[in-house]
């Protein structure tokens, strides 16, 4: 009996004060949920230090630095482990089903006192995936407060289709094309998803979301882990590199890579560079 009570309490703490089942219901209702508690402060700091040490090692190599930011889970085993974290994968699996892949885990970094923003958009607009069996788990590697430019979501806005977007290519936009949804977004109804380092949010691929500048004196670093159901495929027939983090059924629609065998390996830089060419073709 005691054990059961403990388990329930742990669960409640982990999933924004909700059981896994309640969390899933809320996610389907609102299109997002936060905060999920994943790593402790010390574990998150170790993850950040691992990334920042790699960033320092690659400081004179912009191409490899860009690959590190796009593929932290292929180049750093610590980030591969993050994408396989029981709490995050169980949440993704509750939404997507038994066979779960990681399509990407790219970092979104806003430097201290940076004007960089993310415009209002829906994620699935440009990814050429054949349906919406996708959920992003945005993990806060550092503090993501309102002042640091955390994400904002419009609750329930995922209950629509993909709406037209236009490309702004604005210099201060972190998105590759500066894409922006071509409808008026009701800012008043938006909710800030502030996260402490070590926490995560989940959001639906169709929800309207954005984020503001970082006016704090620390960097805001987040890993956007895109979990998809293994049954998804690219509309183009391409098979980009993914990892499988739950289940064993390989539908044959992606190239499933084994976990990285070490840190910043030549072999992984090569794989990532090849995949980056494919993804660029898909996205543009
Ligand atoms: O990091 C941000 O501020 C935005 C990230 C985002 O748009 C996403 O993860 O889909």
């Amino acid at each position: 009996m005691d054990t059961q009570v403990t388990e329930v309490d742990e669960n409640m703490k982990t999933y924004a004060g909700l059981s896994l089942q309640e969390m899933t219901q809320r996610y389907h209702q609102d299109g997002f949920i936060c905060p999920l508690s994943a790593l402790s402060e010390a574990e998150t700091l170790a993850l950040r230090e691992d990334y920042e040490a790699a960033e320092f090692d690659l400081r004179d190599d912009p191409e490899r630095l860009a690959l590190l930011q796009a593929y932290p889970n292929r180049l750093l085993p610590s980030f591969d482990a993050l994408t396989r974290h029981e709490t995050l994968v169980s949440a993704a699996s509750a939404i997507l089903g038994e066979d779960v892949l990681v399509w990407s885990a790219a970092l979104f970094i806003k430097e201290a006192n940076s004007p960089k923003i993310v415009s209002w958009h829906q994620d699935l607009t440009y990814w050429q995936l054949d349906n919406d069996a996708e959920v992003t788990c945005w993990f806060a590697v550092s503090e993501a407060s309102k002042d640091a430019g955390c994400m904002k979501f419009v609750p329930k806005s995922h209950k629509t289709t993909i709406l037209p977007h236009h490309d702004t290519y604005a210099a201060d936009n972190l998105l590759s094309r500066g894409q922006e949804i071509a409808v008026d977004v009701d800012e008043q109804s938006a909710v800030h998803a502030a996260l402490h380092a070590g926490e995560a949010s989940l959001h639906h691929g169709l929800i309207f979301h954005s984020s503001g500048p970082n006016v704090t004196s620390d960097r805001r670093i987040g890993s956007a882990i895109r979990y998809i159901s293994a049954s998804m495929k690219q509309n183009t027939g391409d098979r980009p590199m993914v990892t499988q983090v739950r289940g064993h059924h390989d539908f044959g629609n992606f190239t499933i890579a084994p976990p990285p065998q070490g840190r910043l390996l030549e072999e992984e830089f090569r794989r990532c560079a090849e995949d980056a060419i494919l993804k660029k073709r898909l996205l543009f």
Side-chain angles (χ1 to χ4, degrees), residues 13 52 60 88 95-96 101 143 146 168 199 252 257 262 280:
K13 208 173 105 209
E52 289 186 332
D60 295 326
L88 306 184
I95 293 164
L96 300 174
L101 307 178
E143 200 73 4
K146 195 170 166 181
T168 68
E199 293 181 338
K280 200 165 176 188

Side-chain angles (χ1 to χ4, degrees), residues 20 25 31 40 49 56 80 103 119 137 168 175 226 250 279:
L20 187 56
Q25 279 165 2
S40 68
E49 284 174 352
F56 184 78
D80 176 65
W103 189 76
S119 49
C137 171
T168 68
L175 298 179
R226 318 292 185 183
D250 172 5
K279 283 259 174 65

